[in-house]
C-alpha cells in the first residue's frame, strides 16, 4: 500500500480542536453521576409485556428504552449518541444482574470506583429499588448461582471468596457483550439491510412451514430492536433541529443541522462518508450499551481497516480535511473511552476502574499476509496521544512487516500518554495460534482485542468471561497443595493430597500441585458448562446478537444459546510466574540445597514470616533465583508450570465446543488474586499483590536488566497462551530523543521477532509516582499501566500505587 507522507506530516502537526478541548475540560471537571432513567423504562416495559416470549420481551424492553430515554446534545458534541445525558454518567443493569447494588437499600452513597461515590436523591433510589424488586431473584446470574449451589453446595462461593476464580457471576459477562460489533457489515448494509435480511428469513419460515418457533421470535425481535435503533437516531435528529432553531451562533447552527441530516440517514442506511460512518458507530455503540450496560464497551476492533475507505476517499476528494477527521475521531474515541458502569463489588477489586475497557486495534496483516498499516492507523495513534486519557486501550498488531514509521509513532504516543498506550501484541503469534486451533487464516487475521488484551474474532461469539469463567489463580492452587486442599479461609476447596511436610521429594509436591490443578480447573469448567446451558432461560440480547455475530441471523438464535461452530470459550490461568518462582524456591531451598526443612518453611509461611526466624527465612526465599534474570534453572520451572497448566486446561472435554483457549491478561488481577493468598515461598507476604501482568517478574526481583527479562520470557515459552502480558517500566528520559525512540523500537522488534507475544511500557519516573501519591491533586492526569489496562494513578488503591512504584525501572 502506498502511504501518503503528506497526510502523515499533516497529522503530526495537529492539535485538539476547540470543541475537543471543551469536551476534555468538561470531562475532567464533571461530577460522577448515576442515572436511573434506563431502569424506569425497563420496569415499565416488563410490566407491559408479561406473558410474551422472552426474546420478544427483551426486544420490547430495549425498544422502550431507546424510544424514551432522556437524550442530550452537549455544546461541544460533533458526534451524538450517549448512554447518559451527562458527560460522565453510569446506568445500572438490574434487569441483567438483579439486586446487585446493596447501597441502595441502606441510603448509602454508591461506590463507583475505589475512590469515587455518588449520593442518590429519593426519586432515583425509589426507581432503582423498584427495579431491584422487579428483576431481583429471577435473573440469569442469580438463577445460575442457585444451580451451582444445587450441584456443589458452597464450593463455588468458597472458591470465589478465596480469590481462586473470577469473575463472579453477577458481573454478567455474557457472550459477545464485551467484544466488538460487526462494524464491517454494519457500515456496509445499515440497519435497513439487517431488517430486510430478517424479513427474508421470516418469509422463508412461512413458505417452508418451519416449526422452530424460537427462530421466528428471534427474527421478529431483530426487527423490533433494529427499528428502535433507527428511532433512537431519529430522536437525535429531531433534537438537533430543535436546538438549531434556538441557536444564535451561525457556525454551531450549521453543525446542528448537519447532525440532524446525518442522524436521519444513519444508521438506518449504510454511511456514505467518514463523518456518517463515525456517527453510525456512535448510535449503534450507545444502543449496545443500553441493552447491556454492565460493561459499556462498544469496542472498535480493527478501526483503521473498516474506516479507512471512508477516510481516504473523503480526504483525497477534499470532502473533509485531515483536521476535521481528527476532530470527529477524537469526539468518539473520547466518549467511548470515558463511558462508565456500576460494577459489583468483586470487579472493583480486579479492575479498580469503572470505565468500560474499550479497545482499538491498529496495524497487522490482511488475508494475503500483507502489511495493512495506513494513514488512519497513524491518525488514531496521534489522536489518542492528544486526548491523554486512560481509556480506550489501544493495541498495535505487531508483525515482522510493521513499518518503522508506525512503530516510532506508537512510541511517541506512549510517551504522550505515559500509560502503556499503545500496547504491542504479536499479530503473527496470535494468527498462528488461531490457525493451529482450526480457524482459517483469512478469518484469523481479523482478530481484535477484547477488553485490554484478550484476542477475539469478529466472526465468532466470544464467551470468554461468560458463565463466571474468566481466570483462575494458579498460585492459589499451589497453596492448596501446600495446605492439603485448604484455602486461605480454611475451607476444603481442594483435594486432600497430603501434608507437604511428609513429601520425600519435590516431585511428590509437584504431583500434588497438578492433582489440585486438574480438580479445580476442570470443576470450574464444568460449572461454566452448567451456566452455559441455563442462562438463555432467563436472558436474551437480540441486538448484541445480531450486530455482534454474523452467523446469528442465519442460525436464527440469540447469542445466549452458544453454537458449537461459532462460539469460543477461554480462560486465563493466572500467576504462573509467582507459582514458578515459589516452586523453584521450595526445590532449591528444601530439596536441592537443604537449607531449610519443609517444616521450617511451612511454619514461616503460615505465620506470614513472623519473628526473627521468619524474616530470616523470608530473606532466603527472596534471594532464591527468580524469573526475569535469564537464569535457565528458574526459567525452566516457569516453563514447566506454564506447559503443564496449558496441557491440563486443554485436556478438558469441552465438546461439542472447541477446546478452551488460553490467554493470560492483565487488569488489576494481581491485586485481586493476592487477596486470596497467604505468604508464598517466593518471599511475598500474605495478601500482597502477585506479579503484575502475566509474564512480568516479581517486582524488584529482575536485577539483571531489561533484556534479561525478555530472554526469560522467551525461555519460558508460554506457548499455550495466545498472549502473555509483559509490563516494563522505562525511565522517561531515554525516549526524549529520536535516538532513544529508535532504541525502544528496536528493543520491541527484537522481543517480538524472538517469539514474545505482548509487551507494554510504563514510560514514567518513580520519583514522579512517589510525588503523585503524596500530592494527588497536582497529578490528576498521570496515567500508568496496571496490568493490561491503564488508569489514572491517583484513583488507584494504595497497594497498586506501591506496586507500580516498586517495579524495576529500566533504561534500554
Amino acid at each position: 500500500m502506498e502511504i501518503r507522507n503528506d497526510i502523515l506530516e499533516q497529522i503530526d502537526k495537529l492539535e485538539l480542536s476547540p470543541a475537543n478541548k471543551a469536551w476534555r475540560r468538561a470531562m475532567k471537571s464533571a461530577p460522577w453521576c448515576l442515572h436511573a432513567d434506563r431502569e424506569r423504562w425497563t420496569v415499565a416495559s416488563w410490566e407491559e409485556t408479561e406473558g410474551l416470549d422472552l426474546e420478544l420481551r427483551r426486544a420490547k424492553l430495549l425498544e422502550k428504552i431507546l424510544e424514551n430515554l432522556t437524550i442530550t446534545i452537549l455544546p461541544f458534541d460533533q458526534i451524538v449518541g450517549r448512554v447518559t445525558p451527562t458527560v460522565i454518567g453510569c446506568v445500572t443493569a438490574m434487569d441483567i444482574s438483579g439486586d446487585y447494588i446493596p447501597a441502595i437499600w441502606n441510603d448509602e452513597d454508591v461506590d463507583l470506583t475505589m475512590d469515587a461515590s455518588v449520593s442518590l436523591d429519593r426519586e432515583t433510589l425509589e426507581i432503582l429499588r423498584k427495579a431491584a424488586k422487579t428483576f431481583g431473584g429471577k435473573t440469569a446470574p442469580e438463577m445460575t448461582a442457585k444451580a451451582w449451589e444445587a450441584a456443589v453446595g458452597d464450593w463455588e462461593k468458597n472458591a470465589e471468596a478465596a480469590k481462586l476464580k473470577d469473575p463472579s457471576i453477577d458481573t454478567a459477562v455474557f457472550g459477545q457483550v464485551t467484544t466488538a460489533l460487526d462494524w464491517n457489515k454494519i457500515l456496509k448494509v445499515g440497519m435497513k439491510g439487517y431488517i430486510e435480511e430478517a424479513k427474508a428469513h421470516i418469509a422463508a419460515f412461512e413458505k417452508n412451514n418451519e416449526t422452530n418457533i424460537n427462530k421466528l421470535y428471534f427474527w421478529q425481535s431483530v426487527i423490533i430492536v433494529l427499528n428502535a435503533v433507527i428511532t433512537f437516531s431519529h430522536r437525535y435528529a429531531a433534537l438537533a433541529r430543535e436546538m438549531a432553531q434556538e441557536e444564535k451562533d451561525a457556525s454551531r447552527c450549521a453543525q446542528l443541522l448537519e447532525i440532524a441530516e446525518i442522524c436521519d440517514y444513519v444508521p438506518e442506511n449504510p454511511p456514505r462518508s467518514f463523518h456518517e460512518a463515525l456517527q453510525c458507530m456512535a448510535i449503534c455503540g450507545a444502543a449496545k450499551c443500553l441493552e447491556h450496560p454492565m460493561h459499556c464497551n462498544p469496542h472498535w476492533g480493527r478501526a483503521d481497516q473498516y474506516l479507512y475507505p471512508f477516510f481516504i476517499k473523503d480526504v483525497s476528494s477534499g470532502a473533509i480535511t485531515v483536521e476535521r477527521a481528527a476532530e470527529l475521531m477524537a469526539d468518539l474515541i473520547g466518549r467511548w473511552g470515558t463511558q462508565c458502569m456500576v460494577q459489583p463489588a468483586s470487579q472493583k477489586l480486579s479492575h479498580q476502574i469503572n470505565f468500560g475497557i474499550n479497545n482499538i486495534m491498529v496495524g497487522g496483516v490482511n488475508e494475503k499476509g500483507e502489511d495493512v498499516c495506513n494513514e488512519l492507523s497513524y491518525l488514531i495513534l496521534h489522536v489518542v496521544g492528544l486526548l491523554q486519557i486512560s481509556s480506550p486501550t489501544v493495541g498495535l498488531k505487531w508483525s515482522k512487516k510493521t513499518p518503522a514509521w508506525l512503530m516510532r509513532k506508537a512510541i511517541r504516543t506512549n510517551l504522550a500518554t505515559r500509560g502503556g498506550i499503545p500496547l504491542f501484541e504479536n499479530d503473527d503469534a496470535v494468527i498462528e495460534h488461531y490457525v493451529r486451533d482450526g480457524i482459517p487464516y483469512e478469518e484469523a487475521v481479523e482478530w481484535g482485542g477484547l477488553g485490554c488484551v484478550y484476542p477475539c474474532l469478529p466472526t465468532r461469539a466470544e464467551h470468554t468471561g461468560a458463565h463466571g469463567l474468566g481466570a483462575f489463580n494458579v498460585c492459589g492452587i499451589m497453596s492448596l497443595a501446600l495446605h492439603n486442599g485448604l484455602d486461605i479461609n480454611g475451607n476444603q476447596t481442594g483435594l486432600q493430597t497430603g501434608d507437604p511436610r511428609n513429601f520425600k521429594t519435590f516431585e511428590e509436591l509437584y504431583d500434588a500441585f497438578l492433582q489440585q490443578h486438574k480438580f479445580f480447573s476442570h470443576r470450574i469448567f464444568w460449572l461454566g458448562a452448567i451456566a452455559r446451558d441455563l442462562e438463555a432461560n432467563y436472558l436474551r440480547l437480540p441486538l448484541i446478537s445480531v450486530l455482534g455475530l454474523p452467523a446469528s441471523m442465519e442460525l436464527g438464535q440469540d447469542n445466549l444459546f452458544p453454537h458449537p461452530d461459532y462460539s469460543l470459550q477461554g480462560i486465563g490461568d493466572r500467576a504462573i510466574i509467582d507459582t514458578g518462582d515459589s516452586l523453584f524456591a521450595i526445590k532449591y531451598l528444601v530439596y536441592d540445597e537443604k537449607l531449610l526443612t519443609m517444616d521450617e518453611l511451612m511454619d514461616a509461611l503460615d505465620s506470614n514470616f513472623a519473628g526473627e526466624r521468619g524474616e530470616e527465612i523470608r530473606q532466603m526465599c527472596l534471594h532464591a533465583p527468580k524469573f526475569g534474570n535469564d537464569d535457565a534453572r528458574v526459567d525452566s520451572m516457569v516453563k514447566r508450570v506454564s506447559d503443564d497448566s496449558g496441557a491440563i486446561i486443554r485436556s478438558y472435554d469441552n465438546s461439542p465446543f472447541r477446546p478452551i483457549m488460553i490467554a493470560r491478561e492483565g487488569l488489576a488481577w494481581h491485586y485481586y488474586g493476592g487477596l486470596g493468598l497467604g505468604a508464598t515461598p517466593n518471599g511475598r507476604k500474605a495478601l500482597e499483590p502477585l506479579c503484575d501482568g502475566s509474564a512480568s517478574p516479581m517486582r524488584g526481583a529482575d536485577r539483571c536488566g531489561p533484556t534479561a527479562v525478555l530472554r526469560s520470557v522467551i525461555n519460558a515459552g508460554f506457548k499455550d497462551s495466545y498472549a502473555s502480558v509483559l509490563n516494563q517500566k522505562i525511565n522517561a528520559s531515554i525516549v526524549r530523543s529520536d535516538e532513544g525512540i529508535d532504541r525502544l523500537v528496536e528493543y520491541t522488534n527484537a522481543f517480538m521477532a524472538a517469539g514474545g507475544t505482548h509487551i507494554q511500557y510504563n514510560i514514567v519516573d518513580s520519583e514522579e509516582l512517589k510525588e503523585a501519591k503524596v500530592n494527588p491533586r497536582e497529578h490528576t492526569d498521570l496515567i500508568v499501566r496496571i496490568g493490561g489496562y491503564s488508569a489514572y494513578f491517583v484513583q488507584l488503591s494504595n497497594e497498586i500505587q506501591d506496586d507500580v512504584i516498586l517495579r524495576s525501572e529500566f533504561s534500554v
Side-chain angles (χ1 to χ4, degrees), residues 288-451:
K288 176 194 177 186
C289 294
L290 286 165
E291 185 176 37
H292 189 309
M294 202 77 159
H295 302 280
C296 64
N297 38 3
H299 277 303
W300 294 72
R302 301 188 74 184
D304 63 341
Q305 301 307 303
Y306 58 77
L307 285 173
Y308 183 71
F310 298 101
F311 170 78
I312 199 65
K313 175 178 71 70
D314 285 4
V315 169
S316 298
S317 69
I320 194 173
T321 64
V322 173
E323 290 83 356
R324 179 61 173 161
E327 180 178 46
L328 295 170
M329 182 68 77
D331 188 306
L332 193 54
I333 288 176
R335 181 174 317 185
W336 283 5
T338 50
Q339 286 183 183
C340 48
M341 54 185 166
V342 184
Q343 300 167 312
S346 66
Q347 204 165 26
K348 290 185 178 71
L349 296 175
S350 61
H351 284 58
Q352 298 224 0
I353 57 171
N354 75 334
F355 291 125
I357 305 178
N358 292 281
N359 190 303
I360 305 176
M361 301 298 294
V362 300
V365 299
N366 62 15
E367 69 279 0
K368 298 178 181 178
E370 301 165 335
D371 173 70
V372 289
C373 299
N374 58 46
E375 298 91 336
L376 187 56
S377 316
Y378 201 84
L379 178 64
I380 290 170
L381 292 176
H382 188 80
V383 167
V384 167
L386 292 176
L387 286 171
Q388 295 182 349
I389 52 178
S390 65
S391 182
T393 291
V394 181
L396 190 150
K397 297 177 68 167
W398 182 95
S399 81
K400 292 183 176 68
K401 299 177 181 178
T402 301
W405 56 265
L406 192 67
M407 288 294 291
R408 293 191 196 100
K409 188 63 174 179
I411 298 300
R412 289 192 174 95
T413 302
N414 202 328
L415 183 59
T417 59
R418 299 198 299 170
I421 303 171
L423 57 82
F424 300 89
E425 203 157 356
N426 193 325
D427 196 34
D428 300 337
V430 173
I431 293 169
E432 181 182 336
H433 270 88
Y434 273 124
V435 171
R436 180 200 67 186
D437 286 347
I439 302 296
Y441 180 88
E442 61 273 14
E443 186 180 353
V445 298
E446 297 300 331
W447 72 272
L450 181 161

Side-chain angles (χ1 to χ4, degrees), residues 19 72-80 240 243-245 247-259 324 327 331 335:
T72 56
I73 299 176
L74 301 176
F76 37 73
D77 285 347
Q78 308 295 301
I79 301 284
V80 299
M243 292 175 64
Q245 291 177 356
E247 180 60 55
K248 305 301 183 186
D249 181 87
S251 175
R252 182 56 176 167
C253 180
Q255 286 181 349
L256 289 167
L257 291 174
E258 183 182 27
I259 287 170
R324 179 61 173 161
E327 180 178 46
D331 188 306
R335 181 174 317 185

Side-chain angles (χ1 to χ4, degrees), residues 144-153 156 165 169 467-468 527-528 530-531:
T144 299
K146 292 175 185 177
W148 284 349
E149 188 172 2
V152 295
E156 194 278 336
K165 68 169 287 288
I169 197 70
H467 327 308
L527 292 179
I530 290 174

Side-chain angles (χ1 to χ4, degrees), residues 721-776:
S721 180
Y722 275 61
S724 296
V725 174
L726 173 61
N727 284 315
Q728 289 201 305
K729 190 165 69 173
I730 304 295
N731 189 291
S733 64
I734 70 157
V735 287
R736 300 293 184 191
S737 66
D738 290 343
E739 293 79 6
I741 289 171
D742 286 342
R743 281 203 304 274
L744 194 52
V745 167
E746 292 168 4
Y747 177 84
T748 307
N749 289 342
F751 175 59
M752 297 300 229
T757 57
H758 175 287
I759 195 167
Q760 56 198 15
Y761 304 111
N762 260 323
I763 302 180
V764 64
D765 299 331
S766 295
E767 291 306 313
E768 183 179 5
L769 296 173
K770 294 174 184 176
E771 168 63 23
K773 190 173 180 184
V774 175
N775 298 303

Side-chain angles (χ1 to χ4, degrees), residues 90 113 217-218 224 254 288 296 303 344 349 368 421 446 468 518 545 550 566 570 587 600 623 645 665 696 704 742:
C90 302
T113 68
Y217 289 154
F218 177 74
I224 291 170
K288 176 194 177 186
C296 64
L349 296 175
K368 298 178 181 178
I421 303 171
E446 297 300 331
K518 184 172 184 179
S545 297
Y566 298 101
K587 183 176 184 296
E600 290 174 316
H623 286 90
S645 179
E665 297 189 88
S696 301
C704 297
D742 286 342

